Amino acid sequence: MQTTSSAFDALKGTPQRSLIGATVGFFIGFGAVSLFGPTALTFIKLMHLDPGQVGLLVAMPMLTGSLLRIPFAAWVDRNGGKLPFLILLVASVIGIAGLYWMLLTLYPDHLTQADYPWLLFFGALGGCGIATFSVGIGQVSYWFPQAQQGKALAFYAGFGNTSPGLVAIILPLIIAVGGLWAGYLVSLVIVLSGIALYAVLGFNAPYFQQLHRGSTPDQARGVAKSQGQELFPATSVLRTLLDSAASWRTWPLVALYFTSFGGFLALTAWLPTFWGSFYKTPHWVALGLTAGFSLYSSLIRVPGGSWSDRFGGEKVALLAYTALLLGAGVMTLSQDFWLTVLGEALVATGMGVANAAVFKLVPHYVPHAVGGTAGWVGGLGALGGFVVPPILGHMAQAMGTIGYIRGYSVYIGLALLSIALTSLLYATRTGITLRVPHAPRHESLTLP
């Protein structure tokens, strides 16, 4: 058995270094949210795609990126996160490289409807990078003590989440200068660079490093505790998924994240259509308002994590969902451009801060299966990005032009539900039992 001193000397990485590595990796992978959005018009013209095909094309990266979060986040509880993180990023590289190859060999004269299935396939692979979110959540959580997790996770998710907004601005500029193929070539180079940075900076938490060196779980836990690690995983991937699913508190957290993060993704996709259709804004104005929404909501997540550490995740979440409720109310009722912009800012504030608060609550409410819970919350919660836009579109179609603003009443309902669920969690926050793996069944730790 290694001594604590020698094990400490052999530890690779630090919490701060690993946080930066995970943030870089997630930033690179999450950019696939905008993989097709800025280029959809070109594919429509060249391949003669109908609206249904365009909708499936734009959604495909988000579909794989959301659903893969569940099994890959659970895998973190088995090996610490670095391997699943790299697998997802490599899959994303293969997808983007496939798209670049298609454009290099077929664009523009030979790209036809017959190539549409390949476009979907490579788009699905490219979207795998989006799933790195939940992997990084688990990886970062195991590095940091619970008192610092709100700030650490907010830094990780906040700066990582800025990627789609930046891509929405930069990719059209690259395409305008160098053509469609140049945009995907630059994306490929960026993702490859991100993989290299993550490989150098990203390391698993001490417990997983000790297991990799041959220590038993009990030995690894003892060494890791001496190095400051507080959270430890369940004994298997299946167990962490089942344990997290069996905890009733997992499902309110899923619903909260469905509202804040799923709602964020939905608006990132919907706002360009809204601004252009209801207020008739020029394309670049609609793009700027959407990018501003995405970037601001992502960046405010960082102080939101610090506020959650200081004041408590539930209290911060209640205030955040209240801001979302007010903003949604303004957007639903207002027909004034600048007042609607104000409403959008309130919604962005509420969503960004709530996103940080929810993942501050994950380790507290389901401490024995952080990876599995992050998978359920991140994966199913992100599906809000698929569910909400069709509802907004249906209301606009059914009600006419006024339906574009009345559709935001969906967010009023989601905000009210989220306030109720946050209050329920807060009322039942005491007496949570942390099961200690490999210990007798009667051993437990009651958290405050």
Side-chain angles (χ1 to χ4, degrees), residues 33-313:
V33 167
S34 300
L35 195 60
F36 288 124
T39 60
L41 183 60
T42 300
F43 289 121
I44 291 172
K45 292 179 178 178
L46 290 176
M47 303 174 71
H48 306 289
L49 303 180
D50 61 45
Q53 290 175 313
V54 174
L56 181 59
L57 178 66
V58 173
M60 188 56 69
M62 278 299 304
L63 182 62
T64 52
S66 297
L67 295 181
L68 288 179
R69 291 180 178 197
I70 299 171
F72 275 83
W75 197 9
V76 175
D77 284 356
R78 185 67 177 269
N79 65 17
K82 186 163 188 175
L83 179 60
F85 213 121
L86 288 172
I87 288 174
L88 289 169
L89 287 178
V90 169
S92 185
V93 162
I94 294 172
I96 297 173
L99 292 170
Y100 171 64
W101 172 80
M102 285 184 65
L103 294 173
L104 193 63
T105 57
L106 300 175
Y107 175 79
D109 297 329
H110 304 291
L111 195 61
T112 68
Q113 274 269 359
D115 303 304
Y116 179 71
W118 284 107
L119 207 60
L120 293 179
F121 173 72
F122 288 126
L125 280 177
C128 290
I130 301 170
T132 57
F133 172 73
S134 291
V135 176
I137 286 288
Q139 188 177 40
V140 171
S141 293
Y142 285 125
W143 266 109
F144 284 84
Q146 292 194 64
Q148 299 176 19
Q149 283 175 2
K151 182 178 181 180
L153 293 175
F155 177 94
Y156 163 77
F159 286 106
N161 271 352
T162 62
S163 184
L166 293 175
V167 170
I169 296 173
I170 296 173
L171 187 59
L173 296 177
I174 296 173
I175 292 172
V177 173
L180 189 62
W181 67 270
Y184 285 99
L185 176 61
V186 172
S187 298
L188 179 61
V189 171
I190 290 174
V191 176
L192 285 171
S193 302
I195 291 176
L197 283 173
Y198 175 77
V200 172
L201 296 174
F203 289 100
N204 294 331
Y207 172 78
F208 301 100
Q209 292 190 35
Q210 294 304 314
L211 289 180
H212 182 71
R213 292 169 185 148
S215 299
T216 67
D218 287 335
Q219 291 170 343
R221 184 173 290 103
V223 173
K225 283 183 177 179
S226 71
Q227 296 167 347
Q229 186 170 339
E230 293 183 359
L231 291 178
F232 297 92
T235 56
S236 72
V237 173
L238 178 61
R239 176 175 171 176
T240 191
L241 281 173
L242 294 176
D243 283 354
S244 55
S247 173
W248 70 265
R249 291 180 174 88
T250 296
W251 305 108
L253 292 170
V254 168
L256 293 178
Y257 209 59
F258 182 96
T259 297
S260 56
F261 187 70
F264 162 81
L265 293 176
L267 285 182
T268 299
W270 177 253
L271 282 173
T273 299
F274 164 73
W275 289 115
S277 299
F278 187 79
Y279 284 108
K280 310 299 181 185
T281 59
H283 174 69
W284 286 104
V285 173
L287 185 63
L289 288 169
T290 304
F293 167 84
S294 178
L295 291 171
Y296 172 66
S297 186
S298 299
L299 291 175
I300 201 171
R301 189 168 182 163
V302 179
S306 298
W307 298 333
S308 298
D309 282 337
R310 181 176 181 182
F311 302 110

Side-chain angles (χ1 to χ4, degrees), residues 1-17:
M1 177 178 174
Q2 290 177 301
T3 64
T4 300
S5 176
S6 63
F8 181 80
D9 292 339
L11 179 66
K12 294 181 180 179
T14 64
Q16 290 73 24
R17 181 178 175 179

